[in-house]
Amino acid sequence: MTDIQALDSRYVAHTYARAPVTFVRGEGCRLYDEAGKAYIDMGSGIAVNALGYGDEGWVAAVSAQAGQLAHASNLYHTAPQALLAQRLCERTGMKRVFFGNSGAEANECAIKAARRYSALKHGENVRPVILTLENSFHGRTLATLAATGQDAFHHDFGPFPEGFRHVPANDVTALKTALSVGDVCALLIETIQGEGGVNCLTEEYIRAAREMTEARDILLMIDEVQTGNGRTGKLYSYQHFGILPDVVSTAKGLAGGLPMGACLLGEKTADALTPGTHGSTFGGNPVCAAAALYVQDRLTDELMAEVAQKGEWVRAELEQLPGVTVSGRGLMLGVESARPAAALVSDLLSRGVVALTAKTRLRLLPPLTIPWPDLKEAVSIIKEALSA
């Protein structure tokens, strides 16, 4: 155990099962530990470092804004926040944006916006229920834990806020029944259940969800915390399906490494939140917003097409191995094999590749800008580990 790891063990809350590695710097798609060993990063800080490490334009944007104005209260206007909101709305079809600091905060905002929209239109407590899917994950606050459809996250933290029900994923009949009860204001889904095992919802299910919610004036809210910001080969994953949600939540790669979340509000919910109904001290921080504006500049159609191409190549390479299947889309991939995922991640770390787990699957979330030679080297090492 190094000195830093000993300090961490003594003074930092034990909420993480940390690997015995201390990273001290990053460059491109590689991380370096205290001894100078290099690792190809196939996790990008859990889909956060979308542009890798040390991107010159990102560093310049952050540095310039930090030197000009690091923070101002949301009681006043700042240019980066307004410009970022404009960019996100123009690229998504949404109408307004609330900025927070994380995916959980973005989902908290979505929950409040849905209930307030329903209260204003149908009366308070008439339609308070938000449906989510079994095996979903929406955050670690009490409300987003209640929304999460995995019992493993619910132990020891009750009682939870009421008003959430869970239905099976990809079961159109069950969804129709649940939406017909009459007390539902919103349906919150991930198009790919990331923490739930990189499980994809079918196009049939997503389209049916949009049609059924629209017919009943129930909001369709899509959690794009992990799938968003170019990760699946589109700016947001719902754009693969030709639909327009009522609310979109996002975070992770939004600011390319700085903490930022956003709740994008559509036509129905654009004016649901008014002064005093919601807020955040750090939300839309000028430095984070400047970083996110630069990320938006980099998330071109060309880059996202390359993300899709790389994802298909990785899938094809890994599925050549006996007993290996790959789920996901773009550079959000889950790899199922005979080897336990946790043991595989540990083996890969020793071989110089950083990866993640998602239940029984190895999870790969490399920087969107990972160069082909680095990607091929990482995949070669992963294939060796899968065959071990």
Side-chain angles (χ1 to χ4, degrees):
M1 180 182 290
T2 66
D3 291 345
I4 291 298
Q5 290 167 18
L7 287 172
D8 185 288
S9 179
R10 181 173 180 180
Y11 293 111
V12 178
H14 291 180
T15 53
Y16 307 103
R18 299 197 200 273
V21 175
T22 301
F23 292 124
V24 296
R25 70 182 182 92
E27 182 178 334
C29 67
R30 294 180 187 258
L31 289 163
Y32 296 84
D33 67 16
E34 292 174 304
K37 179 180 176 179
Y39 303 76
I40 303 174
D41 187 5
M42 294 293 284
S44 58
I46 316 182
V48 169
N49 299 302
L51 305 180
Y53 304 91
D55 181 278
E56 291 183 359
W58 185 88
V59 172
V62 170
S63 300
Q65 186 59 50
Q68 182 175 344
L69 179 66
H71 177 74
S73 164
N74 275 314
L75 297 174
Y76 309 97
H77 301 279
T78 59
Q81 184 178 146
L83 293 170
L84 177 59
Q86 177 191 23
R87 188 82 60 87
L88 290 171
C89 288
E90 288 176 349
R91 298 189 74 178
T92 62
M94 297 291 107
K95 300 302 180 184
R96 299 192 198 281
V97 184
F98 175 85
F99 291 110
N101 309 284
S102 67
E105 288 184 43
N107 282 327
E108 286 271 357
C109 179
I111 291 165
K112 288 181 71 174
R115 287 192 173 146
R116 189 144 203 273
Y117 167 79
S118 181
L120 292 172
K121 187 163 185 181
H122 302 287
E124 190 174 2
N125 298 323
V126 174
R127 295 171 61 174
V129 173
I130 293 173
L131 290 182
T132 68
L133 303 185
E134 294 175 3
N135 210 41
S136 61
F137 182 85
H138 299 293
R140 295 183 184 272
T141 64
L142 283 177
T144 55
L145 272 181
T148 292
Q150 298 187 57
D151 287 341
F153 290 103
H154 297 160
H155 299 162
D156 303 326
F157 297 111
F160 288 98
E162 298 178 350
F164 297 94
R165 287 203 292 266
H166 313 300
V167 294
N170 288 328
D171 186 333
V172 174
T173 301
L175 179 61
K176 183 177 181 179
T177 299
L179 291 174
S180 300
V181 172
D183 60 354
V184 177
C185 65
L187 169 66
L188 174 61
I189 63 173
E190 306 155 277
T191 66
I192 304 174
Q193 295 179 326
E195 302 299 324
V198 196
N199 303 312
C200 296
L201 299 189
T202 65
E203 182 169 356
E204 175 195 10
Y205 185 83
I206 292 169
R207 289 182 178 276
R210 176 66 288 186
E211 291 171 6
M212 288 191 286
T213 52
E214 204 157 35
R216 294 165 174 79
D217 191 28
I218 294 170
L219 301 178
L220 176 62
M221 310 198 296
I222 299 190
D223 180 336
E224 298 267 8
V225 172
Q226 192 166 145
T227 53
N229 308 300
R231 178 56 53 185
T232 67
K234 295 284 188 182
L235 185 64
Y236 290 101
S237 67
Y238 73 83
Q239 294 171 327
H240 289 285
F241 306 101
I243 64 166
L244 186 64
D246 298 300
V247 178
V248 176
S249 59
T250 192
K252 292 197 181 290
L254 179 60
L258 293 181
M260 182 172 237
C263 183
L264 284 61
L265 304 168
E267 189 76 48
K268 289 184 176 181
T269 55
D271 297 314
L273 299 175
T274 54
T277 59
H278 201 44
S280 169
T281 296
F282 292 104
N285 170 274
V287 177
C288 295
L293 276 167
Y294 177 76
V295 171
Q296 287 293 310
D297 288 340
R298 293 293 302 277
L299 293 180
T300 61
D301 290 341
E302 292 75 20
L303 176 62
M304 289 186 285
E306 190 171 289
V307 166
Q309 182 186 9
K310 287 175 177 174
E312 287 304 309
W313 179 84
V314 172
R315 181 191 298 271
E317 285 291 309
L318 296 183
E319 287 188 336
Q320 292 176 8
L321 301 177
V324 173
T325 59
V326 180
S327 62
R329 187 190 292 269
L331 290 177
M332 180 179 177
L333 299 173
V335 183
E336 188 79 57
S337 73
R339 293 200 68 185
L344 190 54
V345 165
S346 180
D347 185 5
L348 286 170
L349 194 64
S350 71
R351 296 171 185 258
V353 172
V354 176
L356 305 161
T357 63
K359 293 207 167 178
T360 62
R361 291 187 171 99
L362 175 73
R363 182 169 34 155
L364 304 177
L365 300 164
L368 306 182
T369 54
I370 185 170
W372 276 105
D374 298 278
L375 182 63
K376 290 178 178 179
E377 182 182 350
V379 169
S380 177
I381 294 168
I382 292 168
K383 289 169 74 173
E384 291 174 3
L386 285 167
S387 302

